[in-house]
Amino acid sequence: MQPLTEMPPIRSSEITPEHVYFSRRRVLRLGMLALGSAALAACVPTTPTAQEAPGMIPRLNKRDEFGDPVNRWEEITNYNNFYEFSTDKEAVARLAQGFQTTPWTITVDGLVRNPKTYDLDDLRKFGEEERIYRLRCVEGWSMVIPWLGFPLHKLLREVEPTAQARYVRFVSAFVPEQMPGTRLLPLYPWPYTEGLRLDEAMHDLTLLVTGVYGRPLPPQNGAPVRLAVPWKYGFKSIKSIVRIELVAEQPATLWNTVAPHEYGFYSNVNPNKPHPRWSQATERRIGELGRRRTLMFNGYAQVAPLYEGMDLMQNY
Ligand SMILES: Nc1nc2c(c(=O)[nH]1)N[C@H]1C(S)=C(S)[C@@H](COP(=O)(O)O)O[C@H]1N2
Ligand SMILES: [Mo]
């Protein structure tokens, strides 16, 4: 599992609050002026750059293939589902702040010819490209997110699944000392697990994500490595992955175990298949007024051949 290091997690109380940080800079600047040295004062930046100041990251002027603009950094990193930290979407960012993501390894094993444990450096050789994907949560909201990562098939080809391998099982880190949400939900079958059929995992849209918005992935978005499967409900896009196991039978997943009648194994975005407690016909795009129509496969119609001959109303 997730290795524990000697370093304790950073407490949120140890992080300098923004107003203190800015006033310290002001005091420093005044001090420099008091020295009467114009040359020295000129070395002190008078305005914080976007990189330094949290909350001042400019909106990327990019659109997805459907013509929709990407969401703001603030939205993507402050409205999160990550139950290991909290069920409150707006509290996850703060509670995940001290989560230790280095050192980190992902073990890839099971029905493969070349099982291997990858560290973050090992993953670099697979490259990093930007993919702007829609994320549609099963709860009825959505965003457009510019991920950085590489297609999972690159890694799967390297480990060489055997002929018996038919599914891929993914496991998240489980570190209760650093994950207060898991202690509030002790009856959940932790660690968080997910699964894909092997052909879904091999599809070029299936991305292993290492960054977002041109930056490393923040803890609340599933650092250091998470999945993005854009044609499925968001809960299939498992965060903070520590193990990828090739298996013969359809694996148990957390949400399918907790509420099988509400969350199927496939969970493809499907506007015609209502959740037992709400419609899935429309969604609220974060940052927009009103609702928009939800599209079959979240708009990614190219995956339809994966499900030829399957009744997606029964086998959801
Ligand atoms: N380990 C883990 N992965 C997870 C979740 C979680 O609670 N734990 N939530 C899922 C859900 S419901 C959604 S909608 C997405 C949200 O990803 P985001 O916060 O990066 O937008 O992560 C998914 N991956
Ligand atoms: Mo979700």
Side-chain angles (χ1 to χ4, degrees):
M1 265 302 158
Q2 158 69 355
L4 284 173
T5 62
E6 56 289 344
M7 280 274 290
I10 301 166
R11 289 172 180 281
S12 53
S13 61
E14 290 166 12
I15 298 166
T16 310
E18 220 174 300
H19 64 277
V20 176
Y21 167 81
F22 286 121
S23 61
R24 270 190 203 144
R25 296 190 72 122
R26 208 153 44 229
V27 168
L28 179 66
R29 221 153 52 223
L30 288 170
M32 297 303 266
L33 287 172
L35 279 174
S37 164
L40 266 179
C43 296
V44 180
T46 50
T47 50
T49 66
Q51 273 66 32
E52 287 174 285
M56 297 189 73
I57 288 157
R59 188 195 193 104
L60 281 182
N61 185 19
K62 291 184 175 175
R63 290 174 185 272
D64 69 7
E65 65 208 81
F66 308 98
D68 296 324
V70 300
N71 277 88
R72 292 166 45 226
W73 165 266
E74 290 302 299
E75 295 163 337
I76 294 167
T77 61
N78 286 288
Y79 191 81
N80 303 102
N81 269 331
F82 203 165
Y83 274 28
E84 287 89 329
F85 294 97
S86 176
T87 55
D88 174 356
K89 284 184 255 300
E90 281 151 316
V92 170
R94 179 177 54 84
L95 291 168
Q97 232 24 256
F99 183 52
Q100 287 279 155
T101 57
T102 49
W104 193 274
T105 59
I106 302 182
T107 297
V108 188
D109 61 359
L111 301 172
V112 296
R113 260 185 281 282
N114 309 314
K116 187 174 163 151
T117 294
Y118 294 86
D119 64 22
L120 299 178
D121 266 342
D122 297 326
L123 293 181
R124 274 183 241 285
K125 70 161 176 263
F126 295 113
E128 201 178 56
E129 57 185 278
E130 187 168 66
R131 296 268 188 107
I132 303 178
Y133 282 166
R134 293 176 163 179
L135 181 139
R136 168 56 157 89
C137 178
V138 74
E139 297 162 344
W141 54 268
S142 64
M143 292 198 206
V144 176
I145 306 184
W147 299 117
L148 295 171
F150 60 88
L152 177 65
H153 62 70
K154 287 192 178 184
L155 182 149
L156 291 177
R157 281 185 217 288
E158 184 170 271
V159 296
E160 292 185 52
T162 68
Q164 287 73 46
R166 289 186 54 229
Y167 293 88
V168 187
R169 175 176 178 263
F170 302 86
V171 184
S172 290
F174 178 56
V175 191
E177 319 83 84
Q178 294 182 37
M179 294 174 156
T182 63
R183 286 181 266 128
L184 298 173
L185 297 168
L187 299 183
Y188 273 43
W190 307 111
Y192 193 102
T193 50
E194 257 308 332
L196 295 172
R197 222 170 50 195
L198 183 57
D199 58 345
E200 298 178 318
M202 293 295 288
H203 196 282
D204 189 63
L205 280 174
T206 303
L207 200 69
L208 212 51
V209 170
T210 48
V212 66
Y213 241 80
R215 298 154 181 277
L217 209 53
Q220 61 268 36
N221 293 92
V225 184
R226 59 90 58 83
L227 208 61
V229 192
W231 73 93
K232 292 178 179 281
Y233 290 120
F235 65 86
K236 300 292 292 183
S237 293
I238 184 172
K239 294 175 168 180
S240 302
I241 298 167
V242 294
R243 185 174 178 198
I244 298 175
E245 186 188 8
L246 281 285
V247 296
E249 306 291 336
Q250 183 179 301
T253 68
L254 182 138
W255 283 113
N256 188 231
T257 303
V258 167
H261 50 293
E262 300 197 343
Y263 309 107
F265 175 80
Y266 285 92
S267 285
N268 295 313
V269 175
N270 185 346
N272 309 313
K273 172 83 184 167
H275 186 280
R277 291 182 280 138
W278 57 84
S279 165
Q280 293 290 23
T282 65
E283 66 199 57
R284 181 171 64 92
R285 174 67 50 84
I286 302 302
E288 281 182 5
L289 295 172
R291 296 179 74 87
R292 52 162 74 206
R293 299 176 71 89
T294 291
L295 301 180
M296 188 64 202
F297 299 122
N298 207 16
Y300 300 92
Q302 65 265 46
V303 302
L306 292 171
Y307 309 105
E308 233 162 45
M310 242 179 88
D311 180 353
L312 293 177
M313 296 301 280
Q314 297 304 319
N315 218 335
Y316 58 92

